[in-house]
Amino acid sequence: MTLSVSVIIPIYNSIDDLPDLEACLLRQTFPAAQVEYLLVDNNSQDATLDRLQAFAERASGEGLTVIPLSETAIQSSYAARNRGIRAAQGAILVFTDADCRPEPEWLVGMVKPFASAAVGLVVGEIKALPGDTWLEQYAECRDVMCCPKSLRSPTPSIPTDKLPT
């Protein structure tokens, strides 16, 4: 069975985050033919949408499907995610944010548990970027954002029979 995946990323005034995000998406090891990246601009006031369109063209030349979308009616990351959901073609929906830096194996790890028909939801780990302030350094030192430590599983997943209906 070939799994198809839609990665949905809401974006607002994130021109400074885009170069790193683009590089991370291009380095994903998940098969490019099985994924689409839906980058949803949420009515940014900077050059974000122009940058997304340019990235989509560049990514296409590298065999990656990047689809820039816009959500202008409602200013909210939730509305932008919902816009991405409506446009998604994948059987599996994966979410991240513009200020996140997905590691190369991130998408492979998110999709792998779905090989079991019993899995209906997967939660990924959040790692804080290296920080400068004492609070950021404390959080990094204590792994306060570390999902495996919180949930006692390297990639927590929830069986479909445990999901609310």
Side-chain angles (χ1 to χ4, degrees), residues 24 43 60 64 76 78 100 128 146 165:
C24 289
N43 204 26
S60 176
L64 200 63
S76 146
Y78 301 104
C100 292
C146 184
T165 55

Side-chain angles (χ1 to χ4, degrees), residues 60-82:
S60 176
E62 297 188 33
L64 200 63
T65 302
V66 173
I67 302 169
L69 300 169
S70 292
E71 167 55 53
T72 58
I74 300 173
Q75 184 71 58
S76 146
S77 60
Y78 301 104
R81 284 185 193 94
N82 287 337

Side-chain angles (χ1 to χ4, degrees), residues 18 36 49-51 65 69 87 90 95 114 124-125 138 140 148 154:
L18 292 180
E36 64 178 357
L49 185 56
D50 293 335
R51 175 81 189 220
T65 302
L69 300 169
F95 300 89
F114 288 103
E125 182 176 3
Y138 175 80
E140 183 178 359

Side-chain angles (χ1 to χ4, degrees), residues 3 6 8 11 13 30 36-37 53 57 59 69 73 103 105 115 121 125 128 139-140 142 150 159 163 165:
L3 298 174
S6 295
I8 300 168
I11 302 171
N13 286 345
F30 191 82
E36 64 178 357
Y37 294 93
Q53 291 167 338
E57 290 178 27
L69 300 169
E103 294 176 349
E105 294 289 323
L121 176 71
E125 182 176 3
E140 183 178 359
R142 296 296 304 262
S150 310
L163 291 174
T165 55

Side-chain angles (χ1 to χ4, degrees), residues 88-107:
Q89 298 295 309
I92 297 173
L93 305 181
V94 178
F95 300 89
T96 191
D97 290 311
D99 60 350
C100 292
R101 302 294 170 261
E103 294 176 349
E105 294 289 323
W106 167 76
L107 192 53

Side-chain angles (χ1 to χ4, degrees), residues 3-15:
L3 298 174
S4 61
V5 180
S6 295
V7 176
I8 300 168
I9 307 173
I11 302 171
Y12 177 71
N13 286 345
S14 296
I15 193 74

Side-chain angles (χ1 to χ4, degrees), residues 123-127 145-156:
V123 179
E125 182 176 3
I126 300 171
K127 293 181 183 178
M145 300 294 287
C146 184
C147 190
K149 286 185 179 181
S150 310
L151 300 174
R152 303 284 186 248
S153 173
T155 304

